[in-house]
Amino acid sequence: MATATAAPQRRRSPTEPATKWGVPHFRIVHWAFAGPAAALFVFFFAYPLGASLYQSFTSDDGGVQTWAGLAQYRRMLHDPVFWKSLWNTGLLLVFQVPLMIGLALVLACVLNQSWLRFKGTWRIAFFLPSVTMLVAYAVVFRVLLKTDGGMVNQALGWFGVSPVDWLNNPVWARVALIGTITWRWTGYNAVILLAGLQAIPKEQYEAAAIDGAGAVTTFRKVVIPQLRPVILFCSITSTIGTLQLFDENFVLTKGGPDNATMTPVLYLYKVGFDQMDFSYASAIAWAVVLIIGVLSVIQFRFFGQSDRAASTARSERRRG
Amino acid sequence: MTLDPRLLRRWVILLLLTVGALISILPFYWMVVAATHSNDELFHSPPPFVPGGHFISNIKALEHSIGFSRVMLNSVGIAVVYTLASGLISAMAGYGLAKYRFRGRGLLLGLVLTTMMVPFQVLLVPLFQMMSNLGWVNSYQAVIVPFLANSFGIFLMRQAFLDFPDELIESARIDGSGDIRTFYRIVLPVVKPQLGALAIFTFMSQWNAFLWPLLMLDSQDKYTAPVALYTLVGGTHVDYSGLILGSFLATLPLMLIFLIFQKQFVSGLLGGAVKE
């Protein structure tokens, strides 16, 4: 049926000659490129992913795995430490993420001011914390926050504040964790938001000025709608980062005091590798997956719809 | 004399900006100060504000306690090997996915996207068991190999290759160049900037990696810098100036890379964030 002159039936990339030896053929060279990655993904991602899911439905008694159905998940529902780790994560999501994104937004707006000089230098100064080694900065903050003789308490002492037991008091340990994460990531988010700000066309500001809009109105009606996708990006990555939090609280407080800084991933680590309960650890891991998925979808819906509304409004304005 | 309110506002903003920048940078300065003082001097009241004279002796102590030079060498070696290998694999896979149509392509692309969405902690337990079964625990390859297929890298490189004109590949083929040769000689050199940005990112992420190396490595001669630093915090008697010195030295490479490659860094950072 096929003739040498027949036009190819499907769209193809020009790098794929339809007939090299006169017949359609299976070319192995694709796999020379994609093969290594594919093999690695199957072996070190797809297989372990399945194994982990299976394992979350088992229970291991003395190294022997037996099918246990939903037993691990039921156990999780009645596990106060697990709930506390979620509660702590929720607190971070409610307090730390908005605080950080808000600060970053303000910072980005200031760094975007036309009168500001030495912009590059300011940007570097604020961005630098995010390129420190994760564990190293946690270590440094642990020393800075030492109750007796730590720099932070000494500095507070100059203002007559008595030493705060940063890492051993449940409330202050959370504050310390929030401060530490905010210190590291605010500048990073500000740089991303700044790039988003610079992508806003100048005409929009001018139009707002002509319409007599003040700084606050311009910010609300021009900057925020235009910046929405970037804010969405920052809040999704920050949310995922918070849900996966491990290094900081592991080094700062090991999840204590009284599990006040316990996070699901740290708990999963403790269950899996301190108590060697792999089944339960797997169930916790899947709970984390589920929560990240649900929260990402919610954020997408929340920001995505208003973004669509904003873009429709924009295109209508353009047409009009 | 009246003060222009707009000017006043600028001065207030500048003042706040300066305070913010100081908070941002002060811990770095403090690292330098702390790294050059002895433990006793460090917690004196008032604390030291200028660098002291204990830098060399602190380095010697650190070398003695955790074999710091070995640890740094491990970190560099692992990060370099990982960066090169995963960069090559990413570029190859990205090219395959961008420029060829073949059976299984959609599946592979799906796998790439799934890996980006699934947190790596899910894999912690089964990967740990795999490594034990392979007898790889406490080896460098256990740290490197499981994460060689880097979905972020593949995605980034695929985007780069999608923009690459097909005509160039076509003409290279007409000139008799084989696919592999075309890839190395013609295509790869063009995406050097993206490869550079990717390399910086993968190097940094591997340099920072903590949880997985912590699980995999259990002898001091194999430790990477973060793992070694962590073991220093855990002890009953903590050598604080050594700890800070180690943290400072371990962070230094990242800061240097950032300062040198700022442009690539920020452009790579924005790859996923800002769309025109």
Side-chain angles (χ1 to χ4, degrees):
Chain A
M1 188 185 126
T3 62
T5 52
Q9 286 302 300
R10 65 199 165 95
R11 268 194 70 221
R12 59 183 176 79
S13 171
T15 46
E16 180 201 35
T19 52
K20 198 173 181 183
W21 297 286
V23 284
H25 56 279
F26 180 76
R27 287 195 40 190
I28 207 78
V29 71
H30 314 147
W31 289 106
F33 287 115
L40 283 164
F41 271 134
V42 169
F43 202 61
F44 294 111
F45 178 73
Y47 167 71
L49 195 68
S52 158
L53 186 61
Y54 171 76
Q55 214 159 10
S56 73
F57 293 111
T58 64
S59 103
D60 40 12
D61 302 309
V64 185
Q65 278 189 6
T66 47
W67 182 261
L70 290 169
Q72 302 296 351
Y73 292 95
R74 269 200 294 275
R75 180 178 159 195
M76 197 157 44
L77 290 179
H78 300 288
D79 182 347
V81 184
F82 175 73
W83 284 107
K84 191 149 192 184
S85 75
L86 282 188
W87 172 246
N88 295 332
T89 309
L91 286 177
L92 285 174
L93 287 178
V94 170
F95 290 108
Q96 193 271 330
V97 173
L99 170 77
M100 177 179 68
I101 306 267
L103 275 177
L105 195 56
V106 171
L107 191 58
C109 286
V110 171
L111 291 178
N112 198 34
Q113 296 292 316
S114 53
W115 53 267
L116 189 72
R117 280 194 268 171
F118 311 115
K119 281 190 176 136
T121 316
W122 290 112
R123 214 178 46 205
I124 290 175
F126 284 105
F127 195 76
L128 218 45
S130 67
V131 293
T132 52
M133 182 189 264
L134 262 165
V135 168
Y137 98 90
V139 160
V140 168
F141 271 81
R142 194 168 145 157
V143 181
L144 282 170
L145 293 167
K146 234 168 80 79
T147 310
D148 48 327
M151 259 304 227
V152 174
N153 275 346
Q154 292 219 21
L156 287 174
W158 302 330
F159 301 101
V161 182
S162 50
V164 176
D165 199 4
W166 290 106
L167 301 177
N168 301 308
N169 172 296
V171 175
W172 289 119
R174 283 181 183 141
V175 173
L177 189 61
I178 288 177
T180 309
I181 302 169
T182 309
W183 178 80
R184 188 171 201 259
W185 292 109
T186 302
Y188 174 92
N189 285 300
V191 168
I192 294 179
L193 290 166
L194 180 61
L197 280 179
Q198 285 165 350
I200 299 177
K202 290 265 181 295
E203 296 82 40
Q204 301 223 352
Y205 292 111
E206 286 161 16
I210 289 168
D211 289 346
V216 176
T217 317
T218 312
F219 183 76
R220 272 186 47 224
K221 299 277 162 111
V222 176
V223 174
I224 292 292
Q226 290 275 340
L227 215 54
R228 196 156 261 148
V230 190
I231 297 176
L232 173 69
F233 177 84
C234 287
S235 39
I236 286 188
T237 48
S238 306
T239 301
I240 293 177
T242 303
L243 287 161
Q244 299 191 28
L245 195 69
F246 176 82
D247 298 18
E248 286 92 336
N249 53 340
F250 186 63
V251 174
L252 273 178
T253 56
K254 280 220 141 200
D258 191 25
N259 294 322
T261 55
M262 182 65 80
T263 54
V265 174
L266 178 51
Y267 189 46
L268 134 72
Y269 171 86
K270 287 198 164 173
V271 167
F273 301 100
D274 285 352
Q275 302 163 20
M276 296 312 250
D277 189 343
F278 289 154
S279 301
Y280 191 34
S282 298
I284 296 171
W286 278 92
V288 175
V289 176
L290 205 69
I291 295 167
I292 289 183
V294 169
L295 282 187
S296 303
V297 169
I298 291 175
Q299 275 183 329
F300 243 105
R301 279 275 162 84
F302 181 65
F303 281 95
Q305 259 168 13
S306 34
D307 178 45
R308 220 171 301 141
S311 67
T312 336
R314 272 202 303 280
S315 58
E316 267 164 11
R317 223 175 300 141
R318 215 171 295 135
R319 251 182 277 131
Chain B
M1 202 182 106
T2 53
L3 196 59
D4 181 1
R6 215 174 57 179
L7 213 60
L8 183 71
R9 212 178 68 195
R10 285 182 186 181
W11 278 109
V12 172
I13 289 177
L14 263 181
L15 183 74
L16 291 177
L17 207 57
T18 311
V19 172
L22 279 181
I23 293 174
S24 187
I25 289 184
L26 220 53
F28 295 104
Y29 179 70
W30 188 76
M31 275 170 124
V32 178
V33 173
T36 52
H37 281 278
S38 71
N39 256 319
D40 296 336
E41 290 167 356
L42 205 57
F43 295 108
H44 251 223
S45 183
F49 274 110
V50 287
H54 280 88
F55 187 65
I56 302 292
S57 62
N58 281 343
I59 284 198
K60 279 186 183 143
L62 194 62
E63 180 64 27
H64 181 74
S65 60
I66 50 169
F68 194 68
S69 54
R70 175 66 194 256
V71 163
M72 286 291 269
L73 217 60
N74 288 340
S75 261
V76 171
I78 288 175
V80 167
V81 170
Y82 177 78
T83 303
L84 292 177
S86 81
L88 181 65
I89 288 170
S90 297
M92 283 172 21
Y95 184 69
L97 286 172
K99 293 297 179 193
Y100 291 98
R101 285 169 209 281
F102 56 94
R103 198 181 301 228
R105 174 174 166 276
L107 190 71
L108 186 55
L109 206 58
L111 267 179
V112 172
L113 293 175
T114 328
T115 357
M116 292 216 279
M117 283 180 281
V118 172
F120 110 93
Q121 292 87 3
V122 191
L123 308 176
L124 223 50
V125 166
L127 277 182
F128 179 83
Q129 290 169 323
M130 276 173 90
M131 294 299 126
S132 325
N133 292 339
L134 288 169
W136 280 11
V137 173
N138 201 30
S139 71
Y140 297 129
Q141 68 262 33
V143 178
I144 296 171
V145 175
F147 303 106
L148 272 181
N150 169 1
S151 47
F152 168 74
I154 295 175
F155 198 72
L156 199 77
M157 292 320 292
R158 179 172 170 268
Q159 294 307 112
F161 289 126
L162 281 177
D163 295 337
F164 190 88
D166 286 343
E167 292 78 14
L168 266 176
I169 304 171
E170 187 89 317
S171 62
R173 171 165 293 129
I174 291 166
D175 288 345
S177 164
D179 291 56
I180 308 243
R181 214 181 102 159
T182 309
F183 176 67
Y184 284 106
R185 287 294 173 81
I186 294 163
V187 183
L188 218 44
V190 176
V191 293
K192 254 187 200 157
Q194 287 95 330
L195 269 177
L198 176 62
I200 293 168
F201 265 90
T202 36
F203 185 89
M204 289 186 125
S205 70
Q206 185 61 54
W207 189 261
N208 266 323
F210 176 57
L211 180 48
W212 183 245
L214 178 75
L215 273 179
M216 276 301 112
L217 305 173
D218 45 40
S219 68
Q220 208 182 67
D221 62 314
K222 295 274 169 59
Y223 281 167
T224 56
V227 180
L229 283 176
Y230 174 70
T231 63
L232 271 182
V233 199
T236 39
H237 171 75
V238 183
D239 167 22
Y240 285 104
S241 39
L243 198 60
I244 305 289
L245 174 65
S247 306
F248 176 64
L249 292 176
T251 287
L252 213 53
L254 294 181
M255 286 164 64
L256 288 179
I257 288 175
F258 167 67
L259 291 176
I260 296 169
F261 297 108
Q262 251 195 87
K263 275 223 175 80
Q264 288 90 323
F265 194 81
V266 174
S267 71
L269 188 76
L270 301 174
V274 183
K275 298 248 160 56
E276 287 305 313

